[in-house]
Amino acid sequence: MKKILFVTSEAHPLIKTGGLADVSGSLPKALAELEQDIRLIVPKYQALNTHGEDIRYVCSLRIDNRNINILETRLPDSKVTVWLVDYPAYFNFPGNPYVDEEGSPWPNNAERFALFCRVAVEVAMDRINQHWKPDIVHCNDWQSGLVPALLSLEFGPPATVFTIHNMAYQGLFPIAAATALNLPGQLVHPEGLEFHNMLSFIKGGLVYSDHITTVSPTYAMEIQTPDFGYGLEGLLAYRKEILSGILNGIDTDQWNPETDPLIARNYKSVSLLEKQYNKSELQRRMELPVNDHIPLFGVIGRLVEQKGIDMILDCLPDMVSMPMQFVLLGSGDKGFENKLKNFSHLYPDKIAVTLGYNESLAHLIEAGADVFLMPSRFEPCGLNQMYSQRYGTIPIVRKTGGLADTVVDSLPHTLTDSTATGIVFNEASASALMEAIKRTLILYHNHEAWKKMQVNGMQKDFSWQQSARHYLDLYQNL
Ligand code: ADP
Ligand code: GLC
């Protein structure tokens, strides 16, 4: 049995902004089921919701003249221990963990997450005297990037794994921050935390960890190229022997159309007709005409360039001239939000847009839509395309990262051998997306092929079982 400290800046259902939370909330549970002693460490944000689990005081520690408390709770519905880093001046304020209402990063993010990393190091070295020293410290994304760097200076540190969920977010700050943060000089140079005269948190993970993973095999290859590496492709290619891609799983209890309490009617692959109740409910809730015969397209996600929202916006004028409806749930870039809202005002019978974060609506869209659009420019893994397949909702995806690894394009031979689960297109352009949409509409009217794709997707195994084993093998080999 391994002792694992899982360092993450978000974990569902405590706090979530995106897929990192889904992974941090479900992979540790899968590892605990494999009899591993895994504990999470997460900042105690004001918006953190323990869903009724108790919080108890563990200990206090002092770092750079600051008094920090460590509190303990559990991941709801599990036995997994969660340690909360309680430093109110940095974490106890309302809103998103990383950005303000306008989407700009909080001005003190470097200080906030450097402190989080420092506390994780104290815990990893058991300087908080809990008689629990991990064998492995598993860090995720830039917010935890300083942990492997700082641990590399310790005597007898645990082994470190750093998982890249998204290379586009690197935690870059003016180099002067290194001094302000009291970072040891041995770490601050171009082969260390420095990146083009900036301080890079993610480099802490990429340079100093014992193993790097990312969340799909295709993305593991892509980030070694200039298009996806953001200047770090050389470093990643240099470390390719210790870099691997392990596909994310999904929480198959939470995302299960047979039992999901957040949808209008439960269904399974042998009772697919029931899915239409969810479609009607979704149409009603989004104030669209209730009509079972019109194909309903759904989108859920952060409204950022990564997700290809600009391509969708470019397609909407053509889409509204077709028999279809479109529902979108998301928040992010204000420019995208305004353009989408304008479309929904112009075409209230075809387009419905809900801005903000809404978990139950996300479930209803997965269950009620016929088609799920995910034309990402890049996608380290992506979870919604897997949720869609499990809900019999056909994903349209661009062939990149985890989308390429999890969706099988519907072609004559993949329809025949029952592997087709969606529509896959190549080029990152509105015209290529539009072609994919037209191809989808033709298939939609071929009831036999459509149902086959739905059933193929619903029968696929997206659970964590296999991937959690890959992580365990990795821990055991370190
Ligand atoms: P990313 O992590 O890049 O945002 P993923 O596909 O990995 O993309 O995960 C996104 C997760 O966040 C999914 O669980 C998705 O349902 C959820 N999500 C994104 N935006 C919203 C929203 N506005 N309301 C509810 N859930 C959302
Ligand atoms: C990131 C990626 C997304 C991935 C998620 C969880 O936010 O953008 O593709 O699914 O992390 O690993």
Side-chain angles (χ1 to χ4, degrees), residues 16-20 22 166 248 255 300-302 306-307 329-331 356-359 362 366 374 379-385 387:
K16 167 166 164 175
T17 72
L20 171 60
D22 299 56
N166 199 329
N248 286 335
W255 293 94
I300 304 164
R302 294 180 297 118
Q306 170 187 351
K307 303 291 176 184
L329 165 66
S331 66
Y357 182 88
N358 185 333
E359 193 149 327
E366 286 296 4
M374 214 163 160
E379 196 61 76
C381 179
L383 300 170
N384 276 309
Q385 82 283 8
Y387 301 152

